[in-house]
Structure formats: structure tokens, C-alpha cells
């Protein structure tokens, strides 16, 4: 990774670490968590009131996305969902409610402070079918073919290697799986330089793909049934958009958790909806951490 690329990733990590700390430090105030300041194009206002009220206030306060991918993805009972760049956990917790106890929702984030906030929100919500993972969206720490739906909320535009993100989404999805993403997309008429003029990298603007580039990237990764629909403008000729696409259902679609469960990392049926620690005295997370599992 080049020094420039490393610097961009660090600027993103630092911005969202600071955002998590602002929410966490707000807990010491009499009025509860401090909401991160955003305009109407981003944040918790993009969720329905009943969704916001059903979650911990800290999860809502930390919302920085440009849409509601849980609605875009049309989640169903029993599905396995992965949220790329899960932040404070709002979309993971909403996904967990939609897929129910037979399903599972994973959140992936590279920022330790956001992961700590998300875990605290998980405990407050009492969500048992949730697991948060540390890692980058360009190298997802989950086995191939173990996810039914990939969601993301205004995070893919922040990636330093979007082709790798699209390839990882394809890899982790089971045949016939789908993506339901909210992201910032530029008009095809805007050059990369013009996009940079409209906002910075960590602010979700400078590195956004155009509509054509987004479609081409998904097609190159093997996705079909691609639909990219703008929802609202976030800057001049820059749009929040919903992105849907499908992994072709080729060959036998045998879900990994329907086979005889194998044990690894001290966990049986690792990274599936039925995973459990071999030692009943510890949690799945504790077992994975102790063994050095990549999914920890």
C-alpha cells in the first residue's frame, strides 16, 4: 500500500474514531449522548421514527450514513447479513431485528473506537444474533459463501480500493445472494478533479464513483441485476443513491450452515447463524479471540 493510500485510510479512521468518542463522551452529560452534527443529507434523520426509537440512543447518535440500507436490502427472516463499515451499529441492530433469531447480522469496521461503541450498543439492545468484527472492507474476515445479504451505508465511497471491496462482496455472498447499499455517487459528467472540489475524502465526496464507474465495478466483480437509483443530492451533481445487485445463483446452492458443522477456532459452525463456542463457559467472541481466529 502506498504512503498516499495509507494516509487516506488513516484520515478516514481518525475522523470516525473522533465521531465515536464524541458520542461516548456525551454519555457523561445529563442529556445523554451527543449527536454528531450532520446536515439533512446524512445521519439518523434518514430513518423512520419507529426505527430510531427502537434502538439505543448512542447507536442513533452515531449514524453518519446517507440512507437506510436495511430497507433497501429487503431483509427476510433467517438471513445472514454483513454490514460493511458498521460504525456505531445502527444498521446491524436494525438488520438483526429484521432477520430474527434464526438469522444473524455481522458488522465490520476498522475503527476500534466505533467497535467499542457498537458492542456497547449491542449489549443495551440485548441483540444476541449480532457479531462485530474488526477489519477492512477490502479484506473481509469471513469465509466465502457465508452471507446472504451485504449492506453498507455511505462507506464504499471511502475505500482506497473499491475493486477489492466489490470482489470481497462477491466472495462472501452465497450463490443468489444480493447487496443493498446506500452510497454517494457522482454524475457521469463530473471528472475526479471536480468531485474533489465538492468535498473532502473523509467526508464521502472526493472519492465517490460516478454512476457508470459504479456499474462497471460491480459488473467486473460478476454482479448482475444492477440497479443504481439516486435518492437525494448531497452536493452539486453528487447524489446519495441506493445500489442493488445480485450474485448469480450458479451450481448447487448448498448453504455452509446446512452441512455438518465443523469446529474451528474453538467454535462449532464458525461464522454461521448457528455458531457456538465448544466450551460453554465462554462466549463465541472470547473463544475466537483466545484462538487468534481471523473472525474475532
Amino acid at each position: 500500500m502506498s504512503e498516499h493510500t495509507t494516509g487516506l485510510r488513516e484520515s478516514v479512521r481518525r475522523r470516525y474514531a473522533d465521531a465515536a468518542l464524541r458520542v461516548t463522551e456525551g454519555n457523561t452529560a445529563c442529556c445523554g449522548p451527543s449527536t454528531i452534527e450532520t446536515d439533512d443529507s446524512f445521519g439518523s434523520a434518514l430513518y423512520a421514527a419507529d426505527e430510531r426509537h427502537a434502538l439505543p440512543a448512542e447507536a442513533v447518535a452515531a449514524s453518519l450514513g446517507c440512507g437506510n440500507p436495511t430497507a433497501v436490502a429487503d431483509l427476510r427472516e433467517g438471513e445472514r447479513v454483513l454490514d460493511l463499515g458498521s460504525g456505531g451499529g445502527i444498521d446491524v441492530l436494525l438488520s438483526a431485528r429484521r432477520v430474527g433469531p434464526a438469522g444473524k447480522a455481522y458488522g465490520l469496521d476498522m475503527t476500534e473506537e466505533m467497535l467499542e461503541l457498537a458492542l456497547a450498543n449491542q449489549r443495551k439492545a440485548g441483540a444476541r444474533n449480532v457479531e462485530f468484527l474488526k477489519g477492512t472492507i477490502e479484506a473481509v474476515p469471513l469465509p466465502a459463501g457465508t452471507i446472504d445479504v451485504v449492506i453498507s451505508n455511505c462507506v464504499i465511497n471511502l475505500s482506497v480500493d473499491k475493486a477489492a471491496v466489490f470482489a470481497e462482496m462477491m466472495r462472501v455472498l452465497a450463490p443468489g445472494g444480493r447487496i443493498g447499499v446506500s452510497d454517494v455517487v457522482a454524475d457521469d459528467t463530473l471528472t475526479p478533479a471536480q468531485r474533489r472540489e465538492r468535498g473532502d475524502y473523509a467526508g464521502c465526496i472526493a472519492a465517490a464513483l460516478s454512476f457508470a464507474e459504479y456499474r462497471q465495478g460491480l459488473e467486473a466483480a460478476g454482479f448482475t441485476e444492477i440497479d443504481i437509483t439516486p435518492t437525494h443530492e448531497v452536493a452539486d451533481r453528487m447524489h446519495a443513491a441506493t445500489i442493488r445487485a445480485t450474485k448469480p445463483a450458479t451450481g448447487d446452492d448448498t448453504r455452509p450452515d446446512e452441512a455438518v458443522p465443523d469446529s474451528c477456532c474453538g467454535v462449532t459452525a464458525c461464522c454461521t447463524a448457528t455458531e457456538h463456542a465448544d466450551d460453554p463457559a465462554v462466549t463465541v467472541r472470547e473463544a475466537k479471540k483466545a484462538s487468534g481466529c481471523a473472525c474475532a
Side-chain angles (χ1 to χ4, degrees):
M1 187 180 294
S2 70
E3 184 175 339
H4 175 66
T5 298
T6 301
L8 289 176
R9 178 174 284 176
E10 174 57 21
S11 71
V12 172
R13 188 208 64 78
R14 187 166 54 248
R15 179 187 179 103
Y16 291 94
D18 290 345
L21 290 174
R22 288 203 300 276
V23 172
T24 303
E25 290 166 358
N27 287 335
T28 61
C30 64
C31 298
S34 301
T35 301
I36 301 169
E37 292 185 8
T38 60
D39 60 30
D40 291 341
S41 299
F42 298 88
S44 61
L46 300 173
Y47 294 83
D50 61 333
E51 292 178 314
R52 298 196 303 269
H53 295 158
L55 297 176
E58 292 80 5
V60 176
S63 175
L64 291 164
C66 58
N68 182 352
T70 60
V72 173
D74 188 25
L75 301 178
R76 303 158 195 157
E77 187 81 18
E79 290 188 314
R80 302 158 297 178
V81 185
L82 169 64
D83 181 17
L84 299 180
S86 48
I90 184 170
D91 294 317
V92 176
L93 296 177
L94 286 173
S95 296
R97 292 168 62 88
R98 288 176 183 253
V99 301
K104 185 156 186 177
Y106 294 94
L108 174 66
D109 207 283
M110 69 175 182
T111 307
E112 192 67 40
E113 292 84 353
M114 276 295 185
L115 286 169
E116 291 177 3
L117 176 60
L119 287 168
N121 289 330
Q122 178 188 357
R123 290 191 292 270
K124 290 174 183 176
R128 300 176 63 86
N129 59 337
V130 164
E131 183 170 352
F132 289 100
L133 311 171
K134 184 175 182 180
T136 68
I137 63 176
E138 298 86 3
V140 178
L142 285 173
T146 54
I147 297 297
D148 298 304
V149 188
V150 174
I151 65 173
S152 186
N153 197 349
C154 207
V155 173
I156 295 174
N157 66 78
L158 297 170
S159 172
V160 295
D161 187 351
K162 295 175 180 63
V165 178
F166 296 149
E168 281 294 87
M169 291 194 297
M170 175 63 70
R171 182 186 67 82
V172 300
L173 281 171
R178 64 193 188 279
I179 67 169
V181 168
S182 296
D183 212 358
V184 172
V185 185
D187 275 4
D188 291 333
T189 57
L190 290 181
T191 66
Q194 289 172 324
R195 297 170 214 175
R196 289 192 294 272
E197 291 171 355
R198 285 157 170 75
D200 64 10
Y201 191 100
C204 303
I205 301 297
L209 297 174
S210 70
F211 284 90
E213 290 166 346
Y214 219 117
R215 179 176 294 278
Q216 291 163 2
L218 291 171
E219 288 175 343
F223 284 98
T224 60
E225 302 178 43
I226 299 167
D227 178 79
I228 305 174
T229 302
T231 57
H232 57 276
E233 193 171 67
V234 298
D236 178 33
R237 289 180 284 168
M238 304 283 293
H239 310 271
T242 61
I243 298 98
R244 298 177 176 89
T246 302
K247 177 174 181 174
T250 56
D252 294 330
D253 184 9
T254 301
R255 292 164 61 116
D257 57 348
E258 291 175 344
V260 177
D262 293 323
S263 177
C264 71
C265 309
V267 176
T268 294
C270 184
C271 297
T272 72
T274 60
E275 67 179 359
H276 57 276
D278 295 338
D279 181 353
V282 301
T283 66
V284 167
R285 187 176 181 83
E286 290 169 340
K288 290 182 179 182
K289 185 175 181 180
S291 66
C293 176
C295 298

